[in-house]
Amino acid sequence: MDWNDIRFFLTVARTQSLTKTAAALKVSQSTVARRIGALESSLKTRLFAHHQTGYFLTDAGQDVLHHAEEVEGKILALESHISGTDMRPAGKVRLATAMTLASHLIIPALPRFNARYPDIVLEVITGINTVSMSRHDADIALRLVRPEQLSLKIRNVGRIASAVYGSKNYLEAYPATDIATQQGRAFITWDPAFGHLPSAKWLNEHYPNAASALVTTSLVAQLAAVKAGLGLAVLPGFIAAQESELIAAIPADRVFTEDLWLVTHAELTASARVRAVADFLVEIVAEAGLQ
């Protein structure tokens, strides 16, 4: 059995499309079809059912997928181990993190990183819900949720405190008649689909009847709304500190704090390029006062 056939199989299984697989692997659609056909012939079973909406795994395909992912994990681990023995801080490093951390903490510091390590090409991947460290989608991650995989090296590098903020003009225009309840003020709230977020859960628990000035689906929108003077919002302190017009209406010690986790693969601890990125992340976290 050819490993390349398994690679094609895994990509089709994940994209459910020959076209997307061809684009991802930089080959023609006919090549993808031929590879899948070769794998099905070698296994003497049909792996996909083809519908108008895409390619879907058969029961046999689901079984093959489980084993193929195990093979993929071992091959990627081997590749990472070999590349990780390189002691020069050079090469590509894939960093997975939240959009908030990328935009307000990491990317602003990258000119200094690039000057220090000109031979490292950093790829910043946001939308980490779709990023799997166990599948080696990323070499290193900076996360607000602690991963459960025992094979990963996990380190607590800081804490992010959040508070309720409003613009100076808004707080002056709408003085709270009751500081505890923030009576007389409205909040920027989250769409119900984002109710799992810590800031949404805290607001729903402590101010369930608060008036909503605007419903949003991103922290970027919440920050913009607060700066525009629309109301109050729960924001990370290190972001609010970058905006001189924002003032804490409810201090961080009355809101919540989240741990910040640095995650790497154990086999990459000897990699100079990954270690350089890890050390730099710890450095900028400390500079932002998050330790």
Side-chain angles (χ1 to χ4, degrees):
M1 186 182 300
D2 192 329
W3 157 243
N4 283 319
D5 290 342
I6 296 178
R7 187 162 58 94
F8 277 84
F9 164 78
L10 285 168
T11 308
V12 173
R14 289 163 183 163
T15 65
Q16 298 180 341
S17 166
L18 295 189
T19 303
K20 292 180 180 179
T21 297
L25 299 181
K26 297 179 173 58
V27 297
S28 66
Q29 190 171 329
S30 60
T31 297
V32 178
R34 186 173 66 254
R35 288 286 195 172
I36 295 301
L39 183 60
E40 288 181 329
S41 295
S42 68
L43 295 175
K44 297 181 175 59
T45 189
R46 191 178 182 190
L47 302 175
F48 293 97
H50 184 200
H51 298 286
Q52 287 185 334
T53 55
Y55 281 73
F56 301 93
L57 290 169
T58 62
D59 288 344
Q62 290 284 358
D63 188 45
V64 171
L65 177 65
H66 173 72
H67 294 287
E69 287 183 332
E70 288 186 351
V71 172
E72 178 190 42
K74 291 178 180 178
I75 290 176
L76 292 175
L78 175 61
E79 291 176 348
S80 294
H81 175 72
I82 297 301
S83 64
T85 60
D86 184 1
M87 297 309 294
R88 295 177 298 105
K92 181 174 68 176
V93 178
R94 293 163 294 178
L95 165 64
T97 192
M99 178 66 76
T100 303
L101 296 172
S103 301
H104 296 276
L105 179 68
I106 299 170
I107 292 176
L110 287 188
R112 180 170 21 131
F113 178 84
N114 292 339
R116 190 181 301 176
Y117 302 107
D119 295 326
I120 294 179
V121 178
L122 189 63
E123 294 184 2
V124 179
I125 309 167
T126 56
I128 61 175
N129 287 339
T130 60
V131 175
S132 170
M133 289 291 288
S134 61
R135 282 208 313 263
H136 288 246
D137 291 341
D139 302 305
I140 187 169
L142 189 64
R143 289 183 167 172
L144 292 169
V145 178
R146 191 184 194 283
E148 299 298 328
Q149 296 96 323
L150 297 177
S151 60
L152 298 174
K153 183 178 179 181
I154 303 169
R155 175 184 172 190
N156 187 313
V157 293
R159 306 188 77 193
I160 296 180
S162 290
V164 175
Y165 291 90
S167 69
K168 180 180 179 181
N169 290 340
Y170 180 82
L171 296 179
E172 291 176 350
Y174 297 91
T177 56
D178 185 332
I179 297 298
T181 64
Q182 293 296 310
Q183 187 70 33
R185 292 171 175 170
F187 283 81
I188 314 302
T189 58
W190 287 95
D191 181 275
F194 294 80
H196 63 284
L197 296 177
S199 55
K201 291 169 69 174
W202 183 90
L203 189 58
N204 289 334
E205 179 182 347
H206 291 83
Y207 295 88
N209 300 316
S212 177
L214 181 69
V215 179
T216 71
T217 59
S218 75
L219 186 65
V220 172
Q222 297 229 340
L223 177 61
V226 175
K227 291 171 64 178
L230 293 179
L232 307 178
V234 181
L235 300 173
F238 81 96
I239 294 179
Q242 299 171 14
E243 309 292 343
S244 60
E245 71 269 35
L246 298 190
I247 298 174
I250 303 176
D253 59 7
R254 289 179 49 197
V255 188
F256 64 86
T257 301
E258 299 173 272
D259 287 318
L260 194 57
W261 304 94
L262 184 66
V263 186
T264 56
H265 297 282
E267 67 269 20
L268 286 179
T269 53
S271 167
R273 56 190 169 82
V274 174
R275 190 168 63 251
V277 174
D279 290 345
F280 190 76
L281 291 174
V282 172
E283 178 182 318
I284 62 176
V285 165
E287 289 176 352
L290 301 181
Q291 288 187 322

